[in-house]
Every structure is written in C-alpha cells, then in structure tokens.
Amino acid sequence: MIIPDIFLFIILAFMMVFVASSIVYSTIKLGITPMPSSNKAYLAMMQLVDETGSGTIIDLGSGWGNFVIRIAKKYPQRKIVGYELSYLPWLTSSLLKKVLGLKNLTLHRQNFYKADLSKASVLVCYLFPEAMGKIDEKLRLEQADINFLISNNFALPSWQPSKTIRLDDFYKSPVYLYKIGKDEAKL
Ligand SMILES: C[S@@+](CC[C@H](N)C(=O)[O-])C[C@H]1O[C@@H](n2cnc3c(N)ncnc32)[C@H](O)[C@@H]1O
C-alpha cells in the first residue's frame, strides 16, 4: 500500500509535536532539560570514577544514557544504575542498552529522590543547585553505604570536595569528587 505524502507529513508532524511536548513537559516538571554533559566533562567524570573502587555506580538523572552507557562498557564487572523520569530519554537509553547488550546496566524510570540508594557506592550527577541541596539533605538523613559523589558543575552545599577537576573550557567548569562518610569533611 502506498501512503500519500500528506499522510506521511501529518504522521511526522505529530511525532515531532509529541517529542517536543514530552521534553518541554519533563523540563518544566523537573526543572532541568535532559541535556547531556559535554565530552570534556565525561572524560573528567570517568577519570574520577577510576578512583572509586569496584562498587555500584548510580547516575541521578541518566538522561539519554550517554554517561551510563560509557561507564557500563568501561567497567563490565561493575553494576551501573540510572534513574531517569523524562520518558523519551529513558526510552532511548533503554533501547540502546538492549541493542548493546549491556547486562551490567539497569535503567529505572523513577524519581531518584524517592529511590533507595542504599546499595550505591558512587553517585554521579549533572543537575542544578536546588537539586544538589536536596541530595545533600538525602545523604545526611539516610544511612547509606555511599562512599563517593561525583558532580558535573554543581557543588554539594555542605560538603568539602576531596578533588576538583577544572575543565579546559571557557568557564573552567568544575567537576567535583566528594568522599561521603561520617568522618569526611563538611563545610
Ligand atoms: C542535565 S541531564 C544529565 C544527563 C546525564 N547524567 C549526563 O550527565 O549526560 C539531567 C537529567 O536528570 C533528570 N532528572 C531531573 N530530576 C530527576 C528526578 N527527580 N528523578 C529522575 N530524573 C531526574 C532530567 O530529566 C535530565 O534528563
């Protein structure tokens, strides 16, 4: 059956409207777009992950999967988990996970504030200041086994980073490594 051009155009237009409205809706709801970290930031985050042992890594807001997929490929023995609420980024990353056969990667379409992070050893994020405040509070209230937090660009308000990498970009953007534990330095 030959589909007339006008129908193809209408289907395409509907799909574009669906994609755009889904992203706009989740951006308004969550306060952040699913914009991936820059390549320079990924390299810095991966360098910091190298210093975190062999425990589970959780990406808080895994977006389109750019970070979790790289890290799952690099560390096939480590368990990698991503939490993402925005539907299309979560769907895309889940399909990529299947196509690439990444058995060590689990992707949840779930709000990470409500998730049980107690099994994580390393948290990774690229969020915004208000979210960092909420994560700070969650880390203080929950007695988890979390040892490290790596944050692209945004600091944890009341913790002292143990290492900061400055990216070679216009803003000299920071990527922070925090050691999280009862005895670690807080501000
Ligand atoms: C700037 S993107 C970062 C994506 C990826 N981590 C990276 O570095 O490339 C932040 C993501 O966090 C997601 N997000 C924000 N708040 C969330 C929440 N409470 N639960 C789950 N995902 C959330 C957004 O939908 C967005 O895709």
Side-chain angles (χ1 to χ4, degrees):
M1 188 182 77
I2 298 166
I3 304 173
D5 284 356
I6 184 72
F7 284 119
L8 279 178
F9 176 78
I10 290 170
I11 291 167
L12 219 77
F14 265 111
M15 279 167 73
M16 280 165 73
V17 169
F18 172 71
V19 167
S21 32
S22 168
I23 289 175
V24 169
Y25 173 76
S26 68
T27 300
I28 292 169
K29 208 166 163 225
L30 300 172
I32 186 164
T33 62
M35 189 178 73
S37 296
S38 68
N39 202 44
K40 285 178 182 169
Y42 284 130
L43 293 177
M45 288 151 88
M46 309 256 278
Q47 186 186 323
L48 294 174
V49 167
D50 287 345
E51 302 179 20
T52 62
S54 57
T56 300
I57 301 170
I58 297 187
D59 190 355
L60 303 175
S62 45
W64 305 93
N66 306 53
F67 179 75
V68 280
I69 287 172
R70 285 181 198 215
I71 211 79
K73 277 187 183 166
K74 186 172 178 192
Y75 294 104
Q77 308 309 328
R78 280 180 95 160
K79 197 171 173 221
I80 316 294
V81 179
Y83 286 94
E84 177 55 58
L85 264 179
S86 187
Y87 182 69
L88 284 175
W90 167 81
L91 184 67
T92 307
S93 54
S94 301
L95 290 173
L96 284 171
K97 171 203 140 73
K98 277 229 157 67
V99 170
L100 296 169
L102 297 169
K103 295 211 163 48
N104 59 330
L105 174 61
T106 310
L107 295 168
H108 301 286
R109 186 159 177 258
Q110 197 185 330
N111 185 339
F112 60 70
Y113 295 126
K114 295 183 181 159
D116 174 14
L117 305 178
S118 62
K119 298 285 180 293
S121 167
V122 186
L123 299 180
V124 181
C125 57
Y126 175 32
L127 292 164
F128 56 104
E130 196 192 325
M132 296 311 288
K134 285 193 194 171
I135 292 169
D136 194 299
E137 207 179 309
K138 191 168 166 71
L139 288 173
R140 286 166 180 283
L141 295 177
E142 292 173 18
Q143 297 294 309
D145 290 338
I146 297 159
N147 298 310
F148 299 96
L149 183 139
I150 295 167
S151 175
N152 178 12
N153 215 19
F154 298 101
L156 268 179
S158 53
W159 296 76
Q160 184 76 51
S162 61
K163 194 166 180 178
T164 305
I165 296 179
R166 293 269 164 195
L167 301 182
D168 180 21
D169 63 10
F170 185 76
Y171 299 103
K172 297 275 166 267
S173 311
V175 178
Y176 301 104
L177 172 70
Y178 294 91
K179 281 194 177 138
I180 308 288
K182 290 184 200 75
D183 307 327
E184 298 304 332
K186 296 183 184 103
L187 296 173

